[in-house]
Amino acid sequence: MVKYPTGSLSNYTSDHTDLFKLKNNHHKKNIVFSDRGMSLEQQINESNQYYLMQNIAVVHKKPTPIQIVKVDYPKRSRAVIKEAYFRQASTTDYNGVYKGYYLDFEAKETRNRTSFPLKNFHEHQIIHLDQCLQQDGICFTIIRFVSLNRYFITPASFIIHAWNDKSKKSLTLSEIESNSYEIKSGFRPTLPYLDIVDKFILDRK
Amino acid sequence: MVKYPTGSLSNYTSDHTDLFKLKNNHHKKNIVFSDRGMSLEQQINESNQYYLMQNIAVVHKKPTPIQIVKVDYPKRSRAVIKEAYFRQASTTDYNGVYKGYYLDFEAKETRNRTSFPLKNFHEHQIIHLDQCLQQDGICFTIIRFVSLNRYFITPASFIIHAWNDKSKKSLTLSEIESNSYEIKSGFRPTLPYLDIVDKFILDRK
């Protein structure tokens, strides 16, 4: 049992894993240094941190909801949760505020090269995006094709439409290309998705 | 050790406690049935549920951030978290979207009758409210004076100003009265705070 008494565990991905990936990628051709073997979640979190520090936007990842059953309060030490369960979330992972706009999005990655399986979404995420759209939020998904090193901002309206088509099991890459905005990965921030959100907001008007 | 294998634990307050309070309040004078011995958090959650069902707004309480250290995956049973710790939140408890506006607020209650101690706020809450204000969010606190059965929507700008005045330890009730909007508790929803948010939005323009 490994104990991490302080610091964040960032959802089971230790920094050592990433360092390892980086080292092993080092001699490969066409290496893109900007994403440094990071997961999409890490890229978004790092970008949100940058946007926050620069007073550009306030976007946070929501914590995973946990149902706590048993907590110990040891003397002279902080509380330890001894029994708890993962609960179903009722929203998407990210929301926040940018220039007065409410942003709400879900981030998904796939190793597929030609399509994005819709089963990557949970029904509660689709319902939540639809509810936020009705309140005039800026709602979208960030889809990363890992093997292609491509990132898309796909409007929630398109995702909801496809989800409701029961005969549809996945979105082809070309469907995504023609219904999304592509994000080019950057350096500061790692994933400059707000540049693309600006375009999305303009087109929406 | 009591096990709650399914259902929500709603922050250590079991429904039995509330039922018990209700029974015991039953013979008291001036009983306000609308709040049924609920905590402010329960009143807001119930109101948010109502607003969501009626397609009026999408506001959720953020889960408490937890740092997970050890998880067991028993066969034929769901994952059990065996060691975890509470983490410091970096935001307020509530945010969401209403008619295109980004809402962000913190809820606080006091048993005091004449003032509200500022130590009820944590620094990270003040910083977060300030960051969201800079992005043009609708930012406020809901303050409940439990003994007076009064509820106020106090703009974040006023709270931040008071917090930054190091000589100030608390807000007097009359300061809150003259810098806030009072919410009258209702039946549907329990705490109709969005009626007041409408006024706040109008005055803000």
Side-chain angles (χ1 to χ4, degrees):
Chain A
M1 190 178 101
V2 185
K3 288 200 182 191
Y4 298 93
T6 53
S8 84
L9 198 69
S10 69
N11 284 333
Y12 314 111
T13 317
S14 93
D15 288 342
H16 297 99
T17 318
D18 291 331
L19 258 167
F20 182 75
K21 278 188 197 157
L22 181 61
K23 278 184 187 164
N24 282 276
N25 275 333
H26 205 67
H27 299 289
K28 286 188 188 159
K29 281 177 189 167
N30 304 320
I31 177 167
V32 179
F33 280 100
S34 60
D35 64 18
R36 284 166 284 157
M38 285 194 279
S39 70
L40 179 57
E41 181 181 318
Q42 288 170 312
Q43 291 175 304
I44 294 172
N45 291 350
E46 205 174 278
S47 303
N48 287 342
Q49 191 61 26
Y50 174 85
Y51 287 137
L52 187 66
M53 290 300 117
Q54 302 289 317
N55 288 321
I56 295 169
V58 184
V59 181
H60 288 278
K61 182 172 190 291
K62 290 195 182 180
T64 308
I66 304 279
Q67 180 198 342
I68 296 165
V69 174
K70 190 173 174 244
V71 184
D72 275 7
Y73 297 92
K75 276 182 191 165
R76 278 182 291 275
S77 184
R78 64 180 171 148
V80 191
I81 297 160
K82 301 296 273 184
E83 185 185 352
Y85 299 90
F86 294 102
R87 275 169 48 200
Q88 173 78 292
S90 47
T91 65
T92 47
D93 272 353
Y94 295 92
N95 77 354
V97 60
Y98 170 57
K99 293 183 191 167
Y101 293 102
Y102 172 82
L103 305 187
D104 199 296
F105 60 99
E106 188 63 37
K108 300 286 185 198
E109 41 190 352
T110 180
R111 302 215 156 255
N112 287 12
R113 293 182 157 268
T114 55
S115 70
F116 180 81
L118 284 166
K119 68 169 195 284
N120 278 299
F121 288 103
H122 300 287
E123 189 173 31
H124 75 262
Q125 293 165 342
I126 301 291
I127 293 170
H128 176 74
L129 286 169
D130 193 31
Q131 289 167 335
C132 292
L133 264 188
Q134 287 179 50
Q135 291 303 319
D136 253 343
I138 307 295
C139 308
F140 55 91
T141 59
I142 299 183
I143 296 177
R144 177 192 188 190
F145 283 87
V146 180
S147 316
L148 309 176
N149 198 38
R150 293 179 72 182
Y151 304 79
F152 296 94
I153 285 199
T154 310
S157 55
F158 177 70
I159 299 287
I160 295 165
H161 187 77
W163 176 271
N164 288 334
D165 178 353
K166 294 300 174 201
S167 65
K168 226 172 162 54
K169 296 284 171 243
S170 62
L171 300 170
T172 64
L173 176 59
S174 79
E175 280 177 313
I176 291 178
E177 283 173 331
S178 43
N179 291 281
S180 308
Y181 303 80
E182 189 159 1
I183 315 171
K184 295 296 173 192
S185 72
F187 171 59
R188 282 197 165 192
T190 319
L191 194 67
Y193 71 88
L194 288 182
D195 298 354
I196 310 302
V197 167
D198 282 335
K199 288 187 197 167
F200 181 29
I201 290 171
L202 273 176
D203 287 356
R204 193 172 144 270
K205 275 177 186 164
Chain B
M1 192 177 96
V2 186
K3 286 200 184 192
Y4 297 95
T6 54
S8 85
L9 198 71
S10 70
N11 284 334
Y12 314 112
T13 318
S14 96
D15 289 342
H16 297 100
T17 319
D18 291 331
L19 258 167
F20 182 78
K21 276 188 197 158
L22 181 62
K23 279 186 187 164
N24 282 277
N25 276 334
H26 205 69
H27 300 288
K28 284 188 188 161
K29 281 177 191 169
N30 303 320
I31 176 168
V32 178
F33 280 100
S34 61
D35 66 18
R36 284 166 284 157
M38 282 194 280
S39 70
L40 178 57
E41 181 181 319
Q42 288 170 314
Q43 293 174 303
I44 294 172
N45 291 349
E46 206 173 277
S47 304
N48 287 342
Q49 192 61 25
Y50 174 86
Y51 287 136
L52 187 67
M53 291 299 117
Q54 302 290 316
N55 288 323
I56 295 169
V58 184
V59 181
H60 289 278
K61 183 172 190 291
K62 290 195 182 179
T64 309
I66 304 279
Q67 180 198 343
I68 297 165
V69 173
K70 191 176 173 237
V71 184
D72 275 8
Y73 298 92
K75 278 182 191 168
R76 281 180 287 275
S77 183
R78 64 179 171 147
V80 191
I81 298 160
K82 301 296 275 184
E83 185 185 351
Y85 299 90
F86 294 102
R87 274 168 49 200
Q88 173 78 288
S90 47
T91 64
T92 48
D93 273 353
Y94 297 91
N95 77 353
V97 60
Y98 170 56
K99 294 182 191 167
Y101 293 103
Y102 172 81
L103 305 186
D104 199 296
F105 60 98
E106 188 63 37
K108 299 286 183 196
E109 43 192 351
T110 180
R111 303 216 154 254
N112 286 14
R113 293 180 156 269
T114 54
S115 70
F116 179 82
L118 284 167
K119 68 171 193 283
N120 279 298
F121 288 103
H122 298 286
E123 191 173 28
H124 74 263
Q125 294 164 342
I126 301 291
I127 292 171
H128 175 74
L129 287 169
D130 194 30
Q131 289 167 334
C132 292
L133 264 187
Q134 287 178 51
Q135 291 302 322
D136 253 344
I138 307 294
C139 307
F140 54 91
T141 60
I142 300 185
I143 296 177
R144 177 191 188 192
F145 283 86
V146 180
S147 316
L148 309 175
N149 198 38
R150 293 180 72 181
Y151 303 80
F152 296 94
I153 285 198
T154 310
S157 54
F158 177 69
I159 300 286
I160 295 164
H161 187 79
W163 175 272
N164 288 333
D165 178 352
K166 295 297 173 201
S167 64
K168 225 170 164 58
K169 295 284 171 244
S170 61
L171 301 170
T172 65
L173 176 58
S174 78
E175 280 176 313
I176 290 177
E177 283 172 330
S178 41
N179 291 282
S180 308
Y181 303 81
E182 190 159 2
I183 315 171
K184 294 297 173 192
S185 72
F187 171 57
R188 281 195 165 197
T190 319
L191 194 68
Y193 71 90
L194 288 182
D195 299 353
I196 309 303
V197 167
D198 283 335
K199 287 186 198 168
F200 179 30
I201 290 171
L202 273 176
D203 287 358
R204 193 172 144 271
K205 278 172 183 167

